[in-house]
Amino acid sequence: MKNSKNNIYTVDFLMSFIAVFGVVMFLPMLPHIQQVFGVSVSQISWIPNVGYLTMIIFSSFVGKIINKVGIKRLLLFSLILWIMGISIEILALNNLYFNVFITGRVIEGIGEAFIFPLLLSMNKVGLRNKGNEKVGLSLIEFGAALGGLIAAIIAGQFINNPKQFLIIPISIAVLAGLFIFIRLKLVVLKELEDKEQDKGIKEGKKTFISLLLMIFMIQTIFASIQVYLAYYMEAFSLPNLTGAVISIEQIIVALGTITPIFFFKRVSFKSFRNIIVLVFVFGTTILGMQVSIYISVVALSIIAFFVGASFTYLNIYLSKIIKTKAAQKLSLYTSIRYTGGFVLSFSWGKLIENYRGNLQGYAEIFRRLYIFEGIMVVGIFLVVIFLQGDLVSIFKPKSRKTTLMDEVEHLNT
């Protein structure tokens, strides 16, 4: 028996909401939690770091077990892990054990790691209609953005009382689990993969690798405007506005996630690729200059909008180019996505601590960090252009400009 598209849409939204809620909820609290446990910036950076690290490791693991365990069971298992991890974090806050807190974050992060590859796989097999699948993929990113928004808003009100706050995500997870248990039917991915393999369809490895590089870059950019934002705001002596700024970013990201369905659907893949690179390079340069808090917030908002649009755009394109071993490739894609966040979080945490040890102010620190990030974006972009060099010949139209929809149609023939 098949799932209704509305049930799949609801699970897409709820589970992606939960995954990013868990990633974002501690960001406004980082300075306070650092004071509570009496640890360094480098140590406190492991709160976001372990989240990214578990996603890198266990996202790829999902692709190997998804056909044996099933999507529904794995979704429920991810929620159980998520609740267990947060419960351990509450215990650690009561007893002031930082290592126990990190252990809880690891378990929570494993639960989060399962979610995105499961949702992408469920949409590929459960929503075979192209229009429905695009809606589902957009809802995944929209729910994720909204999860980050709600987490930032609520966490901003509980900065000095994280123990009470953590009851909220546990309650949300219980409700989501009940819906999945009652309404979601078993989803079998293996049948789809067998059909695709029987067709003998070949895929462009260079294009797939280029998408991995692009999602790595986009997630790196996203992490750079959120993970250490509280410290960036110190450059303007406005750390208390961190929660509000993250909330603004998440609203803009949410808006960005739905634009590929309405606006960017008439923009070619190559054109969109070039636009986002220009936005990221100029945006990070403006953030590094720190002209004023108002200009910085505008730059953060513009970057956030194109990050959201990019997530959905790449999801749609990736879904169409993958024809064989879908679960493994979607899991790898998710793993590489969060590798970008981990690399940024880990390296910036170390650099901020070292620079602060040399008595450098936050203004100078983030000037260096954002300039370096802009250079990284240009470097990755050049490699992507090389790997996607054959897109022109593959998708070149005879009489009009190729759009994403044209490219998708081509990939389906």
Side-chain angles (χ1 to χ4, degrees), residues 10-23:
T10 302
V11 174
D12 283 339
F13 178 83
L14 287 175
M15 293 303 292
S16 60
F17 181 100
I18 285 171
V20 178
F21 191 103
V23 173

Side-chain angles (χ1 to χ4, degrees), residues 17 46 149 257:
F17 181 100
W46 278 103
L149 168 63
T257 61

Side-chain angles (χ1 to χ4, degrees), residues 1-288:
M1 188 177 293
K2 294 183 178 180
N3 285 286
S4 72
K5 66 178 181 181
N6 290 332
N7 283 346
I8 292 178
Y9 290 163
T10 302
V11 174
D12 283 339
F13 178 83
L14 287 175
M15 293 303 292
S16 60
F17 181 100
I18 285 171
V20 178
F21 191 103
V23 173
V24 173
M25 64 185 182
F26 291 115
L27 300 186
M29 301 180 178
L30 287 182
H32 175 75
I33 296 175
Q34 181 184 351
Q35 292 177 359
V36 168
F37 287 111
V39 294
S40 66
V41 173
S42 180
Q43 288 174 299
I44 205 67
S45 70
W46 278 103
I47 292 178
N49 285 351
V50 295
Y52 285 125
L53 194 57
T54 51
M55 285 183 172
I56 294 167
I57 296 171
F58 289 94
S59 291
S60 58
F61 177 71
V62 172
K64 298 178 181 179
I65 64 172
I66 191 170
N67 286 324
K68 296 179 181 179
V69 181
I71 291 175
K72 178 177 179 176
R73 293 189 185 96
L74 285 175
L75 285 172
L76 291 172
F77 182 62
S78 71
L79 288 173
I80 292 171
L81 290 176
W82 206 66
I83 293 171
M84 286 176 55
I86 294 175
S87 299
I88 292 172
E89 291 161 6
I90 294 174
L91 180 65
L93 287 166
N94 283 327
N95 296 281
L96 300 181
Y97 292 133
F98 183 67
N99 289 337
V100 174
F101 188 93
I102 292 299
T103 300
R105 185 70 187 96
V106 169
I107 296 172
E108 176 199 337
I110 295 173
E112 292 164 357
F114 284 23
I115 294 174
F116 277 100
L118 288 173
L119 295 181
L120 292 173
S121 297
M122 180 178 67
N123 275 259
K124 187 168 182 62
V125 67
L127 299 173
R128 301 306 306 278
N129 177 278
K130 289 178 290 183
N132 292 342
E133 187 179 5
K134 282 180 279 185
V135 172
L137 294 172
S138 181
L139 276 173
I140 290 173
E141 299 301 339
F142 181 75
L146 201 60
L149 168 63
I150 301 302
I153 292 174
I154 300 177
Q157 305 301 313
F158 287 86
I159 288 178
N160 297 319
N161 203 339
K163 288 182 291 185
Q164 288 186 2
F165 165 78
L166 291 175
I167 300 299
I168 297 172
I170 289 177
S171 302
I172 296 172
V174 170
L175 293 174
L178 287 173
F179 181 88
I180 291 171
F181 181 78
I182 296 170
R183 300 299 299 274
L184 190 68
K185 298 176 178 65
L186 294 176
V187 181
V188 180
L189 185 66
K190 194 173 189 302
E191 292 179 3
L192 171 66
E193 292 188 346
D194 289 344
K195 289 179 182 179
E196 299 290 7
Q197 289 175 350
D198 289 342
K199 295 177 183 178
I201 297 173
K202 296 182 179 181
E203 300 169 8
K205 292 183 179 179
K206 287 185 179 181
T207 302
F208 178 64
I209 293 171
S210 73
L211 294 185
L212 296 183
L213 288 173
M214 288 183 71
I215 197 62
F216 175 91
M217 177 186 72
I218 293 163
Q219 187 65 40
T220 300
I221 294 291
F222 192 35
S224 76
I225 64 173
Q226 286 205 329
V227 176
Y228 295 106
L229 187 62
Y231 299 97
Y232 178 78
M233 298 297 286
E234 288 279 5
F236 298 101
S237 300
L238 295 170
N240 291 334
L241 292 181
T242 302
V245 175
I246 290 179
S247 298
I248 293 171
E249 289 178 1
Q250 291 299 147
I251 292 172
I252 302 299
V253 169
L255 293 174
T257 61
I258 61 176
T259 54
I261 295 179
F262 302 105
F263 178 68
F264 288 120
K265 68 178 182 179
R266 305 315 304 174
V267 177
S268 69
F269 181 79
K270 284 185 63 180
S271 296
F272 185 79
R273 178 197 70 188
N274 297 341
I275 290 170
I276 62 171
V277 169
L278 289 174
V279 169
F280 292 159
V281 171
F282 284 110
T284 53
T285 300
I286 292 171
L287 291 176

